[in-house]
Amino acid sequence: VQLVESGGGLVQPGKSLKLSCSASGFTFSSYGMHWIRQAPGKGLDWVAYISSSSGTVYADAVKGRFTISRDNAKNTLYLQLNSLKSEDTAIYYCARSTLMDAWGQGASVTVSS
Amino acid sequence: DVVLTQTPPTLSATIGQSVSISCRSSQSLLDSDGDTYLNWLLQRPGQSPQLLIYSVSNLESGVPNRFSGSGSETDFTLKISGVEAEDLGVYYCMQATHAPLTFGGGTKLELK
């Protein structure tokens, strides 16, 4: 089982970014997937969830700004981050299922002017 | 939202010492399906978190059996029976019984 995030970087406040999480070693389409973030020096913070049937749930802090999606043909999970704020600066992890039994290495997002 | 309170925030231990971490929930984590969705994760320095224990007391595959979990409803404990150097890092409890999924604030295990 492997999860590999990409797409992080430095972005100005108000701008957008799209993160990807490439999955391998398991039947991606059968699993719900999460995005979790960790601000510098802080703890873990759940961001969003997408079920195997593509139902979605968001944390209040990102609702209306972030969009989670998946492409089962490409075994890839996405997180579209819009209207970014400085408080969105964090490492963003994708994780498999509500067990959280597999995590990616993380993608760093820095929101700064 | 469910608040998970972990104590202590920092734990100093010697190699071989047994230690316990507490995780208390603001609501019962017993789900209507009879399961209790309380997991424990370890984040080693510079690494991603990894699952140690799920549903209170079930050891994830490949995790050493010096780790054990117990508890019910609102009160949960992670025990390490004989700390080893590779156990150092930050331990998190997390709950998935109630939406939104939430994490405890973490307990940092250090060498004394």
Side-chain angles (χ1 to χ4, degrees):
Chain A
V1 174
Q2 191 172 19
L3 298 170
V4 179
E5 297 94 339
S6 60
L10 172 63
V11 61
Q12 293 178 330
K15 299 297 187 181
S16 298
L17 204 60
K18 188 170 187 176
L19 304 181
S20 301
C21 169
S22 178
S24 59
F26 65 101
T27 305
F28 177 71
S29 60
S30 298
Y31 288 83
M33 298 291 295
H34 295 268
W35 285 100
I36 298 102
R37 65 185 180 183
Q38 187 170 35
K42 302 296 185 182
L44 302 170
D45 190 26
W46 173 78
V47 173
Y49 170 76
I50 185 166
S51 70
S52 56
S53 55
S54 295
T56 59
V57 191
Y58 297 92
D60 287 346
V62 307
K63 202 174 295 183
R65 299 189 299 122
F66 290 8
T67 302
I68 188 172
S69 62
R70 64 191 302 158
D71 185 334
N72 290 335
K74 294 183 178 180
N75 289 335
T76 302
L77 173 73
Y78 301 101
L79 186 67
Q80 176 70 44
L81 296 75
N82 296 334
S83 304
L84 281 160
K85 307 175 182 180
S86 58
E87 52 263 42
D88 296 319
T89 293
I91 295 175
Y92 285 73
Y93 297 101
C94 57
R96 185 177 78 165
S97 83
T98 303
L99 271 183
M100 304 266 178
D101 61 348
W103 292 66
Q105 86 288 353
S108 179
V109 174
T110 301
V111 183
S112 175
S113 54
Chain B
D1 297 1
V2 172
V3 177
L4 298 179
T5 302
Q6 286 185 235
T7 55
T10 305
L11 194 51
S12 294
T14 56
I15 299 300
Q17 182 181 352
S18 292
V19 298
S20 292
I21 300 169
S22 170
C23 177
R24 289 190 169 158
S25 173
S26 60
Q27 301 178 35
S28 173
L29 299 184
L30 177 62
D31 194 50
S32 56
D33 66 4
D35 204 342
T36 299
Y37 297 100
L38 186 284
N39 299 348
W40 290 95
L41 306 166
L42 165 62
Q43 186 173 32
R44 295 186 175 99
Q47 295 187 19
S48 306
Q50 66 169 102
L51 178 66
L52 296 176
I53 287 174
Y54 62 94
S55 297
V56 181
S57 59
N58 296 280
L59 204 61
E60 170 68 352
S61 175
V63 175
N65 60 12
R66 62 180 178 274
F67 291 93
S68 62
S70 62
S72 63
E73 304 267 1
T74 62
D75 204 347
F76 304 92
T77 301
L78 173 71
K79 182 176 181 180
I80 310 173
S81 299
V83 169
E84 297 192 6
E86 65 180 20
D87 301 338
L88 304 184
V90 181
Y91 290 80
Y92 293 96
C93 57
M94 59 151 279
Q95 68 81 27
T97 298
H98 302 285
L101 184 156
T102 52
F103 295 89
T107 294
K108 185 175 185 179
L109 178 60
E110 303 175 325
L111 269 183
K112 190 180 293 182

